[in-house]
Amino acid sequence: MYKKKKILAIIPARKGSTGIKEKNIRLVKNKPLIGWTLELAGSINFFDKVVVSSDCKKIKNITEKHKIDFIDRPKIISSSTAKTDDVLIHTIDYLERKELYFDYIVTLEPTSPLRKKETVVKSIKKAVNKKLDSLICIKQNQELIGKLVNDKFIPLVNQKSRRRQERKSYFCETGVSYITNVNFLKKKKKMISKRTGFLIVDSKESLDINDEVDLKLANLLIT
């Protein structure tokens, strides 16, 4: 059923990064971090179009080597406080001015180099077949979670057991894949809704590159 819909893949990759300088072009297994996502997106042949939204010339050069279209992102949506929602809306507006229209957007963050092609395909199928406004990938979490109050740790989640096996499962958002219905995005100006579906991924695939330790871990895990 999903093949009847027009699918746009967007790779948002701004120049700046608060955790790692020029994170999206740091090398992972001798390849720029964004290169892993560019290659994966290029291998999914049912994408009607793949674009990169960025304010970085170095990323533009890498993108062009992969023969993927590049969209210059305005400064106003390139800061550390910029929302991905606004990047998606800007991209859709830009493409529609060129009379290019899509039913669904697949957002692929370049900071998830271990995502699997099968996961992306499965997430699209689920979102389209269930007619969801959006879908996110999530991972299981059984950790003891709490907050700091007056120099003390106060458990909020899973405080009833010290044994991980006996704790309840909670779930965290990952950056592996986001699916968004374009009509919903244009109407509500946001990616997530009360009708957001989910797909559970394992902890390895959900690795998100935020610091130097994550980079080292990615180099170890990618084979």
Side-chain angles (χ1 to χ4, degrees):
M1 184 181 294
Y2 66 90
K3 289 185 177 180
K4 296 178 182 178
K5 301 294 184 180
K6 296 204 70 175
I7 310 294
L8 169 69
I10 298 178
I11 303 171
R14 68 186 185 89
K15 179 180 180 180
S17 174
T18 54
I20 308 174
K21 185 178 179 181
E22 296 188 321
K23 175 171 62 178
N24 290 318
I25 60 174
R26 286 288 298 273
L27 295 182
V28 175
K29 288 287 186 179
N30 298 315
K31 185 186 304 181
L33 178 59
I34 192 174
W36 293 95
T37 299
L38 289 167
E39 286 188 1
L40 179 133
S43 73
I44 300 176
N45 57 19
F46 61 81
F47 282 152
D48 292 278
K49 191 173 186 63
V50 180
V51 300
V52 170
S53 169
S54 179
D55 59 331
C56 178
K57 290 183 179 180
K58 292 179 181 179
I59 290 176
K60 182 177 183 180
N61 292 336
I62 296 170
T63 300
E64 290 176 344
K65 288 180 181 179
H66 284 79
K67 297 181 180 180
I68 287 176
D69 289 344
F70 181 91
I71 296 178
D72 285 304
R73 188 191 302 187
K75 288 184 179 180
I76 194 170
I77 55 172
S78 296
S79 69
S80 59
T81 59
K83 297 179 180 180
T84 305
D85 307 325
D86 295 328
V87 175
L88 267 56
I89 291 167
H90 170 264
T91 303
I92 285 296
D93 288 345
Y94 173 87
L95 294 173
E96 288 189 350
R97 287 197 297 271
K98 295 179 176 292
E99 298 187 352
L100 296 172
Y101 301 93
F102 301 90
D103 299 298
Y104 284 87
I105 297 171
V106 180
T107 305
L108 301 173
E109 301 281 356
T111 50
S112 295
L114 279 83
R115 71 164 59 84
K116 301 173 184 175
K117 179 178 178 179
E118 310 91 82
T119 300
V120 178
V121 171
K122 190 174 180 180
S123 65
I124 295 170
K125 287 182 177 180
K126 185 172 182 178
V128 175
N129 290 339
K130 290 185 175 295
K131 299 180 180 179
L132 299 172
D133 293 331
S134 56
L135 179 144
I136 64 174
C137 289
I138 59 177
K139 65 177 180 178
Q140 187 178 29
N141 189 321
Q142 290 178 298
E143 295 176 356
L144 181 65
I145 298 174
K147 63 180 180 179
L148 301 180
V149 180
N150 296 326
D151 204 30
K152 292 183 177 63
F153 176 75
I154 309 299
L156 298 175
V157 173
N158 279 325
Q159 69 268 39
K160 293 183 179 180
S161 177
R162 291 295 305 152
R163 287 172 52 81
R164 181 184 59 80
Q165 297 90 334
E166 297 174 355
R167 294 174 184 168
K168 292 182 178 180
S169 292
Y170 292 84
F171 296 88
C172 304
E173 174 187 358
T174 77
V176 172
S177 179
Y178 295 87
I179 316 299
T180 310
N181 181 286
V182 172
N183 287 333
F184 167 77
L185 175 70
K186 291 166 69 174
K187 182 178 179 180
K188 299 295 185 180
K189 308 299 182 186
K190 60 183 181 179
M191 297 170 63
I192 307 301
S193 78
K194 293 180 179 179
R195 294 188 65 248
T196 293
F198 67 88
L199 192 70
I200 300 174
V201 299
D202 62 37
S203 57
K204 178 181 177 180
E205 187 174 7
S206 66
L207 176 66
D208 187 33
I209 308 300
N210 287 306
D211 55 35
E212 295 290 344
V213 173
D214 293 332
L215 276 174
K216 291 179 180 179
L217 187 55
N219 275 290
L220 290 172
L221 291 175
I222 293 176
T223 57

